[in-house]
Amino acid sequence: MTKRTAPLIALAAVAALSLAGCAPTAPQTGATATASTTASPSPASTSQAPATPEDGAEEPGPVAPSGDPRVVTTGLQAPWSVAELETGDFLVSERDSGQIVEVSADGSNTNRVVTTIDDVAPGGEGGLLGLALAGTSDDAEQWLYAFYTADADNRIVRFPVTWEGGLGVGAPEVIVDGIAKAGNHNGGRLAIGPDGYLYASTGDASQPDLAQDQNSLNGKILRMELDGSPVADNPFGNRVYSMGHRNPQGLAFDGTGALWASEFGQNTWDELNRIEPGGNYGWPNVEGQGGDPAFLDPILQWSTDEASPSGLAYARDTLFMAGLGGERLWKINISEASEASDEALYVDEFGRLRDAVVTSSGTLLVLTNNTDGRGSPREGDDTLLEFTLSAT
């Protein structure tokens, strides 16, 4: 088993928050690792100082999946995103059907369609993509967010969540529209940050120059109030938080609150970036680590046949990145004041992997994506898998 490593300076916090960890158990073997990446030093942070650990802060040290996964559910059709409910159950978006499906964590119930977004216009990589939840049933308002492709554009909607007789949603409200669409490069990941704001990744919609246009919503990571309006202190005075992206499809916040994003390259390098407010990540001028001081280099890069990265998740100094074309799960150690290192797990075991999510109980969910028209479906595909995470 081999790994590549590179220096990684101490991470700085975007917000002082410690995310949930998990209790270690005895590690087991069974994963496959390959060495294939190159890495660069992390850029100096322009954010606030690192958070000071307090009681209840996450335990130090990386983690890894152990043992065989539990199959949570099967028979999903072109699934794209997973969001955990406060009940411990999950929501899954299906790209082509436009359906948001409720999945029981214990597998006891048949998957239930919560709602169908009628104006989803699937095509190529477009359709119903990312999901995110803000708030809980104890709050005055709880919202379910969805990113999807419509006839004319990509857009973000939110649904009020109701709990009368079980989970339900009200009428959708469009909060962002006018994001250019295409058969590919739509981005589509959503996340609620530790600062309480809504983040979204958008692709360049096969118009690379849009990524360098500060006034375009494409080729960006966006940061918004929960109603879709720009956050007042955003770096460009609009929704744009970072720019110069080709097709980012993974967003995750680490234990300090810093934001990371995984991104599809074109022909040479896929990327893992640590996102700085106002940062320019180079596309289309640079792909991968270009060394141009005008742009921020990725922390890690992979050849495109080993990654094609989508969903990204974080637990205890570790990022987990789902690989589509690479058909593997990347485990990435981002220990503070240590080294960035990566390891390829479950190579070719489950096919294409679309999303990765760490649950509130500290397990890892992985969503397969073999029914999206580019994979080779296996019996039961597509599936939602749950892995135990153990200290390494």
Side-chain angles (χ1 to χ4, degrees), residues 60 82 94 172 194 221 303 327 376:
V82 182
E94 292 189 335
I221 292 174
S303 63
E327 297 193 354
S376 299

Side-chain angles (χ1 to χ4, degrees), residues 71 73-77 368 370-371 377-384:
V71 178
T73 194
T74 62
L76 297 166
Q77 296 300 307
T368 72
N370 298 312
T371 59
R378 310 169 186 205
E379 184 178 357
D381 275 340
D382 269 312
T383 62
L384 181 61

Side-chain angles (χ1 to χ4, degrees), residues 34-121:
T34 61
S36 57
T37 64
T38 57
S40 70
S42 172
S45 175
T46 58
S47 306
Q48 302 173 13
T52 301
E54 299 176 353
D55 289 343
E58 67 174 23
E59 298 178 49
V63 290
S66 62
D68 294 327
R70 180 178 73 91
V71 178
V72 180
T73 194
T74 62
L76 297 166
Q77 296 300 307
W80 210 93
S81 180
V82 182
E84 184 181 19
L85 295 164
E86 61 193 80
T87 59
D89 297 331
F90 312 110
L91 295 179
V92 177
S93 62
E94 292 189 335
R95 187 192 67 187
D96 297 340
S97 70
Q99 295 179 343
I100 299 175
V101 178
E102 183 181 19
V103 175
S104 297
D106 61 6
S108 61
N109 297 320
T110 303
N111 297 342
R112 180 179 72 91
V113 177
V114 174
T115 191
T116 301
I117 302 178
D118 293 331
D119 60 335
V120 166

